[in-house]
């Protein structure tokens, strides 16, 4: 018996997210243009909100908040476009905060510094790992981190894989394709 197809509804994005940006030396090899394009889709779907940015290296830097207004996240984008990639990777150098709806970890997953445990999230929080580094990444680690925290790994290679990655990310914005 044929079953009617039910279109999946795009998930509701939270008003406040944290962007955990891996700024270690290995980050130089990631597809930054693709990462920014995927984040552009995400923030357009968000519309209005707040983003807390933390740069991850051997010692994490800052936790500065940026506003997203009608999908415009240009102030945050300018900061990301000028990141200096250096040092080792401590992907656990951050703390979960109760006002954050979800975390976006943009990384290759290569954790080579620090012995701290990866932070535990609240019951209603999720972690999405975004990986554009292909074979030069630890995608198994990223998938495990995300899935254990209610999210998923979103990975792609090249511009052609970006549309599929956006769909995998629960259709952040079906109209942005």
């Amino acid at each position: 018996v044929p079953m009617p197809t039910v279109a999946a509804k795009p998930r509701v994005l939270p008003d406040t997210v944290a962007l955990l940006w891996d700024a270690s030396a290995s980050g130089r090899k990631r597809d930054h243009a693709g990462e920014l394009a995927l984040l552009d889709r995400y923030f357009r779907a968000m519309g209005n909100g707040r983003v807390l940015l933390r740069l991850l290296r051997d010692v994490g830097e800052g936790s500065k908040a940026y506003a997203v207004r009608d999908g415009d996240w240009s102030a945050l984008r300018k900061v990301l476009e000028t990141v200096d990639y250096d040092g080792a990777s401590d992907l656990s150098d951050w703390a979960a905060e109760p006002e954050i709806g979800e975390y976006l970890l943009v990384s290759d997953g290569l954790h080579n510094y620090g012995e701290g445990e990866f932070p535990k999230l609240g019951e209603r929080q999720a972690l999405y790992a975004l990986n554009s580094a292909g074979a030069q990444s630890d995608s198994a680690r990223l998938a495990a981190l995300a899935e254990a925290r209610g999210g998923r790994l979103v990975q792609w290679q090249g511009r052609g894989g970006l549309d599929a990655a956006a769909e995998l990310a629960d259709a952040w914005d079906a109209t942005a394709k």
Side-chain angles (χ1 to χ4, degrees):
V1 176
M3 297 291 292
T5 20
V6 178
K9 287 194 262 181
R11 63 188 178 86
V12 176
L13 298 179
D15 294 332
T16 304
V17 299
L19 180 60
L20 305 168
W21 190 270
D22 182 351
S24 65
S26 65
R28 292 181 196 133
K29 299 175 184 174
R30 297 192 328 251
D31 172 15
H32 301 291
E35 292 167 349
L36 295 174
L38 189 62
L39 288 175
D40 190 53
R41 291 177 183 206
Y42 183 92
F43 293 128
R44 277 190 287 163
M46 174 190 256
N48 294 304
R50 186 172 152 256
V51 182
L52 190 67
L53 172 65
R54 177 137 176 105
L55 298 178
L56 301 176
R57 297 189 166 96
D58 53 339
V59 176
E61 291 180 22
S63 285
K64 186 172 178 186
Y66 294 86
V68 176
R69 300 271 185 254
D70 297 322
D72 178 14
W73 61 291
S74 55
L76 172 57
R77 184 183 180 112
K78 285 178 188 171
V79 170
L80 296 177
E81 290 173 337
T82 62
V83 166
D84 183 25
Y85 295 89
D86 66 350
S89 303
D90 184 356
L91 301 180
S92 62
D93 190 13
W94 57 279
E97 301 195 23
E99 76 273 8
I100 301 297
E102 68 187 24
Y103 292 84
L104 304 176
L105 172 61
V106 181
S107 176
D108 55 19
L110 303 176
H111 179 100
N112 59 14
Y113 189 82
E115 296 182 20
E117 287 189 34
F118 203 83
K120 293 182 181 6
L121 302 184
E123 199 174 289
R124 296 185 176 178
Q125 295 175 316
L127 173 83
Y128 288 82
L130 310 180
N131 176 17
S132 66
Q136 298 178 4
S137 68
D138 188 344
S139 57
R141 176 193 312 268
L142 290 172
L145 289 171
E147 290 168 11
R149 287 158 184 84
R152 64 173 52 174
L153 170 62
V154 178
Q155 63 183 353
W156 69 97
Q157 280 191 290
R159 191 72 183 166
L162 197 54
D163 288 337
E167 287 177 22
L168 181 64
D170 289 334
W172 287 336
D173 183 1
T175 63
K177 294 179 187 164

